[in-house]
Amino acid sequence: MTSLSQVPQDSPFTIDNIPFGVFSTKDDSTPRCATAIGEYALDLRALSGGGFFSDASVTDALAQTSLNAFAALESKFRTAARNQIISVIKDGKIPETCLHLLADVEMHLPVAISEYTDFFCSLEHCRNCAPMMKDGIPQNFFHAPSAYNGRASSVLPSPSVIRRPRGVFWKTGHDGTRVPTYGAEEHLDFELEVGYIVSKPVPYGETIKVDDAPDHIFGFVLLNDWSSRDLQVFEMPPLGPFSSKSFGTTISPWVITLDALKAFRTAPKHETTPLEHLRYKDFARGTFDVKLAAHLERGGKRHRLATSNLKYLYWTPYQQITHHASANCGLRTGDLIGTGTVSGDGVDTQGNKCELGCLFEATLHGSRPVMLESGGELRYLEDGDSVVLSAWCEDSRGRKVLGFGECRGLIIGPDAPIR
Amino acid sequence: MTSLSQVPQDSPFTIDNIPFGVFSTKDDSTPRCATAIGEYALDLRALSGGGFFSDASVTDALAQTSLNAFAALESKFRTAARNQIISVIKDGKIPETCLHLLADVEMHLPVAISEYTDFFCSLEHCRNCAPMMKDGIPQNFFHAPSAYNGRASSVLPSPSVIRRPRGVFWKTGHDGTRVPTYGAEEHLDFELEVGYIVSKPVPYGETIKVDDAPDHIFGFVLLNDWSSRDLQVFEMPPLGPFSSKSFGTTISPWVITLDALKAFRTAPKHETTPLEHLRYKDFARGTFDVKLAAHLERGGKRHRLATSNLKYLYWTPYQQITHHASANCGLRTGDLIGTGTVSGDGVDTQGNKCELGCLFEATLHGSRPVMLESGGELRYLEDGDSVVLSAWCEDSRGRKVLGFGECRGLIIGPDAPIR
């Protein structure tokens, strides 16, 4: 097994990664904790059963059916466990019984998600959407990270099947009048986001300092904030998104740790001077250089929808989580926080805008279709479409060092069975 | 103990009530399930230990430290258990060891709250607030119940201590300019609401029919949706309330069941013709006649802030929960749903508006102070103020048949310790 640390080219799960996830197999449907290396899931419950980890709290935590207990451990224990895993892989001493082909396992949510919050922190996304919104860029955008509480019950692990929701929206008649209608959503969209999971909790009534924010983050995943634009336009004023976002949220199942991302810390794209409590001292390492992409699979063909980068966000994850806790609400281990759509202002080799994190932006709410390379027009998502998000970190020579794996969802019709 | 069913006058916990809650005592800090009768908490774990309940699933459920398992039982089991409790109280056969004075027990949250959603469904509240909001009454109000996802981590049982939050808001300078500021909230408010708890879950991807909505409700509590108006004005556009509502939400600890409220079913005040999927067939019994009141305790004196009635809501709890599930999000046993502020348009004997469910309405955002009967002006809540919500149902002769108990919260300063 010495070849384990030599992973196949283009595998996201390199020896520099060592993500954490929860899987089950056909033979054993009990969810158990794992890492991914190359083409394999490495069963950490099985590995730790032999007294492998030096700390008993790690062994206990990795024997659970979710990663909540592990995420709740002090970061030094998680870091030590990760280092032990790296060593044993490098030493080629993994018992074969601990390994399962990733292609053969079923992935679960990495944690029992207590609550889900979604931010709205990309200035480019905000600017691109502004012309289609009545009030343009909200004045509060530049002074604190904006967010809404999402719905945890509909967060799903990739690959997921998303049924087109029904709801109430304004249907525009031929004479231009708007009629309230209950029916199937007609403008279904994706949103390219990153999510992160809370590790050390913040007790109710307490707040955190932005410089301590890293202590509260277990790691990162990809997040597709599927959005029903008809329902959203109807329901947004004045309480924000509700049903338009709660019919499904897909996350990638492997949690990429802060340890893995340490080498990719970088300055945010936007230089800002926030209010004192959101001023992260180490600005040059205040966020992460994580490249992002979204692809559409339609009619058996794969089309690039967007590229982007986590560092483009105006408000970083550290600032987001600090703001979240600032009003005493408390944060619990297992809370999922979404960054909001990550857009940029880059153009592709043809001069087209390519860093647009959703179709609302990319098609100007369906009014200017995207021409697919293989032919055909894209306005919004159709039944049968799949959207695949991906993320990776590169070294200074542009070589992929590690990836997040994919975050995949298939759209089905409003009456199709989910399973 | 035969006198147990003869409860003291004005006790909310009559033999017609039999609410469910979770308590602990000084001698035994383990939370256990109980009902309340007169001045007593009746320990249902202790009662059921002797094989009292005819169904083993009830015994098992009531042995838990929260009511989630009991709430998840089919309603016929819950009804049967309630009937058995009523019988044994009437028969005077309660062992004294099962009884604890309410004054001596500590109440806990009745359920582990999975998620919290808050609606905005009072037309009168909406109309009263409209002049102070940029866009007036939202056009969607009349076509579907509006809601936002709240924060479950900050829901507390009464009596609770609420610390004035800090956050970012617009501070208006002497020259009228608005400066973004991080500081302690200056316009702290209460909101008079009712909450209800989900019993039978709705699996992710499924929806419910409005006529089946009662099957999904375990029972009702009072809910104070404490609100930071400075933070709210700042953060609302466009994502709705977030930090302005997440610093604390107080609920009364006793769950008043649908069985207890059956006799008080009534037609909603507003006759409406909603879209088909929200049309409850039995309109005349589509909601509940539950009288509501809010009082302020300041400087040792008690002042009436508002009266109201659950039946005033434009959208009933049945319509709310149906709308909630309509976009496939799923509902879990233990979800808490708030009705939103319940206001009316009644006036008191002096001709003053008295059915205003929050200070934002009652004082026109602090611009027109309420004159307290005992002297002094009220604009917003001050440190040291307590707000006490209450609710009760009356018979046709105006006699109180049952009550909810109180929902009490004390405001403390931004740096005061919570305990």
Side-chain angles (χ1 to χ4, degrees), chain B residues 142-322:
Chain B
F142 301 96
H143 307 296
S146 293
Y148 66 97
N149 298 300
R151 181 81 191 165
S153 64
S154 47
V155 178
L156 310 165
S158 169
S160 57
V161 173
I162 302 292
R163 187 194 286 146
R164 184 178 297 272
R166 286 197 171 82
V168 180
F169 57 91
W170 300 113
K171 183 109 181 169
T172 306
H174 291 295
D175 60 352
T177 54
R178 300 194 314 172
V179 180
T181 307
Y182 177 73
E185 170 65 39
E186 297 175 1
H187 297 92
L188 199 60
D189 204 353
F190 77 99
E191 289 191 352
L192 171 59
E193 300 195 13
V194 171
Y196 48 101
I197 291 164
V198 172
S199 51
K200 181 182 175 183
V202 181
Y204 168 74
E206 295 185 16
T207 61
I208 62 174
K209 291 192 196 312
V210 67
D211 291 315
D212 295 334
D215 295 344
H216 299 275
I217 298 178
F218 174 37
F220 289 80
V221 293
L222 281 158
L223 188 152
N224 188 339
D225 177 29
W226 303 99
S227 299
S228 277
R229 300 304 180 195
D230 290 332
L231 307 192
Q232 194 175 358
V233 166
F234 177 85
E235 75 186 0
M236 282 277 282
L239 297 181
F242 183 63
S243 295
S244 58
K245 302 279 193 171
S246 71
F247 60 97
T249 304
T250 308
I251 63 171
S252 55
W254 294 103
V255 181
I256 314 301
T257 65
L258 284 189
D259 288 324
L261 294 175
K262 211 168 177 179
F264 307 99
R265 287 178 296 179
T266 189
K269 174 184 173 186
H270 296 276
E271 286 214 32
T272 62
T273 315
L275 290 167
E276 176 67 26
H277 69 299
L278 295 175
R279 222 170 284 169
Y280 188 70
K281 280 203 196 83
D282 193 1
F283 181 82
R285 296 191 288 187
T287 189
F288 302 92
D289 187 355
V290 178
K291 294 187 191 303
L292 306 168
H295 288 83
L296 172 72
E297 291 180 1
R298 175 180 286 183
K301 294 205 171 71
R302 189 177 168 92
H303 317 271
R304 194 192 65 188
L305 291 176
T307 55
S308 196
N309 195 305
L310 181 56
K311 71 180 177 184
Y312 293 167
L313 288 176
Y314 189 90
W315 296 103
T316 68
Y318 296 161
Q319 291 170 320
Q320 292 176 354
I321 197 172
T322 304

Side-chain angles (χ1 to χ4, degrees), chain A residues 98-114:
Chain A
C98 294
L99 294 171
H100 302 268
L101 274 175
L102 283 172
D104 294 340
V105 305
E106 181 181 354
M107 295 304 298
H108 301 262
L109 285 176
V111 289
I113 295 170
S114 29

Side-chain angles (χ1 to χ4, degrees), chain A residues 151 163 204-205 247 329 335, chain B residues 151 153 163 204-205 247 329 335:
Chain A
R151 181 81 191 164
R163 187 194 285 147
Y204 168 75
F247 60 98
C329 70
D335 280 352
Chain B
R151 181 81 191 165
S153 64
R163 187 194 286 146
Y204 168 74
F247 60 97
C329 69
D335 280 351

Side-chain angles (χ1 to χ4, degrees), chain A residues 95-295:
Chain A
E96 222 166 305
T97 50
C98 294
L99 294 171
H100 302 268
L101 274 175
L102 283 172
D104 294 340
V105 305
E106 181 181 354
M107 295 304 298
H108 301 262
L109 285 176
V111 289
I113 295 170
S114 29
E115 298 195 68
Y116 163 46
T117 303
D118 199 20
F119 277 84
F120 174 66
C121 287
S122 161
L123 180 57
E124 292 81 1
H125 173 61
C126 194
R127 281 193 182 131
N128 292 331
C129 294
M132 295 169 284
M133 322 235 293
K134 212 181 68 182
D135 296 320
I137 296 179
Q139 290 179 279
N140 55 20
F141 184 90
F142 300 97
H143 308 296
S146 293
Y148 67 97
N149 298 299
R151 181 81 191 164
S153 64
S154 47
V155 178
L156 309 165
S158 169
S160 57
V161 173
I162 303 292
R163 187 194 285 147
R164 184 178 297 271
R166 286 197 171 83
V168 179
F169 57 90
W170 300 112
K171 183 107 180 168
T172 306
H174 290 296
D175 60 353
T177 56
R178 300 194 313 173
V179 180
T181 307
Y182 176 72
E185 169 65 39
E186 297 176 4
H187 297 91
L188 200 60
D189 204 352
F190 76 99
E191 288 191 352
L192 171 58
E193 301 194 13
V194 171
Y196 49 101
I197 291 165
V198 172
S199 51
K200 180 182 175 184
V202 181
Y204 168 75
E206 295 186 15
T207 61
I208 61 174
K209 293 194 196 311
V210 66
D211 290 315
D212 295 333
D215 295 345
H216 299 275
I217 297 178
F218 173 37
F220 289 80
V221 293
L222 282 159
L223 188 152
N224 187 338
D225 177 29
W226 303 98
S227 299
S228 277
R229 301 302 181 196
D230 290 332
L231 306 192
Q232 194 175 357
V233 167
F234 177 86
E235 75 187 0
M236 282 276 282
L239 297 182
F242 183 63
S243 295
S244 58
K245 301 279 194 171
S246 71
F247 60 98
T249 305
T250 307
I251 63 171
S252 56
W254 294 103
V255 181
I256 314 302
T257 66
L258 284 189
D259 287 324
L261 294 175
K262 211 168 176 178
F264 306 99
R265 287 178 296 179
T266 189
K269 173 184 174 186
H270 296 276
E271 285 213 32
T272 62
T273 315
L275 290 167
E276 176 67 26
H277 69 299
L278 295 176
R279 223 171 284 168
Y280 187 72
K281 280 202 196 85
D282 194 1
F283 182 81
R285 297 191 288 187
T287 188
F288 302 91
D289 186 356
V290 178
K291 293 187 191 301
L292 305 167
H295 288 83

